[in-house]
């Protein structure tokens, strides 16, 4: 598995993706007091609703283990995934699950886990995406995940040595290419 690091060995990747799907618009945001579109009462909406066509692939936003995959009342078909550092993500109102997705299965960031639908209490096709930390819902749009762990210490010296060589080569390339571009303008 490859990754991307800065010169000091810090990862340039975050632990979570910003969104689990390619979407056209957000139809409902995280709120502690939203008018429920079906029940017509004010109550919390702990997720972000992404409008998308039925069947749009849904991806895991981080590595983890599926802790729930099934029907869950008003949430319809739903997937719950437990992640490192006491996080959990939930994917609600799905049409169905990707092949092999069931409780206990390990998933990786970007893996297709299900498909947008309108199951449960839903007024149209969308994905309700939720994040919990320590069992408490947090706003997915305000969530700023930590970066992935830095390069392990035992690899850092070799990494810096190789990176230095690339920097020297790149600087030389820039110098040579600027010489040629100057000669073309004479």
């Amino acid at each position: 598995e490859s990754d991307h690091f800065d010169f000091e060995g810090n990862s340039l990747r975050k632990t979570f993706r910003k969104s689990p799907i390619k979407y056209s618009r957000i139809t409902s945001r995280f709120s502690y007091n939203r008018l429920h579109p079906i029940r017509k009462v004010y109550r919390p909406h702990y997720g972000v609703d992404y409008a998308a066509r039925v069947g749009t692939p849904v991806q895991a936003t981080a590595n983890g283990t599926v802790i729930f995959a099934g029907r869950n009342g008003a949430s319809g078909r739903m997937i719950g995934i437990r992640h490192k550092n006491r996080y959990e993500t939930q994917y609600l109102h799905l049409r169905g699950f990707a092949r092999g997705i069931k409780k206990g299965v390990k998933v990786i960031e970007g893996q297709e886990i299900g498909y947008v639908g309108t199951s449960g209490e839903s007024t149209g096709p969308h994905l309700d995406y939720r994040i919990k930390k320590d069992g408490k819902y947090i706003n997915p749009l305000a969530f700023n995940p930590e970066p992935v762990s830095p390069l392990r210490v035992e690899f850092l010296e070799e990494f810096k040595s190789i990176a230095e060589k690339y920097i020297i080569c790149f600087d030389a390339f820039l110098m040579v290419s600027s010489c040629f571009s100057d000669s073309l303008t004479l």
Side-chain angles (χ1 to χ4, degrees):
E1 183 180 344
S2 66
D3 211 337
H4 304 281
F5 300 95
D6 67 12
F7 188 71
E8 298 305 315
N10 297 310
S11 178
L12 297 174
R13 201 168 44 89
K14 298 282 188 174
T15 51
F16 281 78
R17 289 176 170 226
K18 267 301 200 195
S19 170
I21 65 169
K22 291 181 180 166
Y23 64 94
S24 59
R25 62 188 164 62
I26 293 173
T27 56
S28 187
R29 296 176 182 273
F30 183 93
S31 171
Y32 290 108
N33 195 26
R34 177 189 80 153
L35 179 62
H36 191 280
I38 295 173
R39 296 188 181 254
K40 305 298 182 197
V41 295
Y42 284 91
R43 63 188 208 189
H45 181 255
Y46 293 122
V48 174
D49 289 349
Y50 295 101
R53 292 178 181 224
V54 170
T56 299
V58 175
Q59 300 174 334
T61 51
N63 298 346
T65 303
V66 175
I67 56 173
F68 182 85
R71 287 189 169 274
N72 189 19
S75 300
R77 287 181 197 89
M78 175 184 145
I79 295 172
I81 301 174
R82 182 178 297 120
H83 308 280
K84 288 181 2 182
N85 300 329
R86 303 175 316 277
Y87 284 105
E88 181 183 328
T89 53
Q90 298 174 336
Y91 310 79
L92 286 62
H93 307 298
L94 299 171
R95 180 186 79 185
F97 310 122
R99 179 175 290 141
I101 296 299
K102 61 185 177 188
K103 186 176 179 177
V105 168
K106 296 205 179 302
V107 294
I108 60 170
E109 175 196 336
Q111 181 178 337
E112 198 169 285
I113 58 172
Y115 307 96
V116 169
T118 187
S119 62
E121 288 186 4
S122 171
T123 57
H126 73 285
L127 173 71
D128 182 344
Y129 173 63
R130 300 175 179 210
I131 303 175
K132 284 181 171 182
K133 173 135 193 203
D134 294 325
K136 183 179 178 186
Y137 287 102
I138 59 176
N139 183 348
L141 296 176
F143 177 55
N144 189 17
E146 313 80 50
V148 174
S149 299
L151 190 64
R152 294 197 333 239
V153 175
E154 62 264 30
F155 300 120
L156 191 56
E157 191 176 319
E158 182 183 2
F159 172 80
K160 283 185 174 185
S161 172
I162 293 169
E164 249 177 48
K165 290 175 186 171
Y166 278 105
I167 289 169
I168 291 168
C169 289
F170 185 69
D171 286 346
F173 169 77
L174 289 178
M175 194 180 311
V176 169
S177 65
S178 71
C179 290
F180 286 112
S181 66
D182 289 345
S183 66
L184 294 174
T185 57
L186 294 177

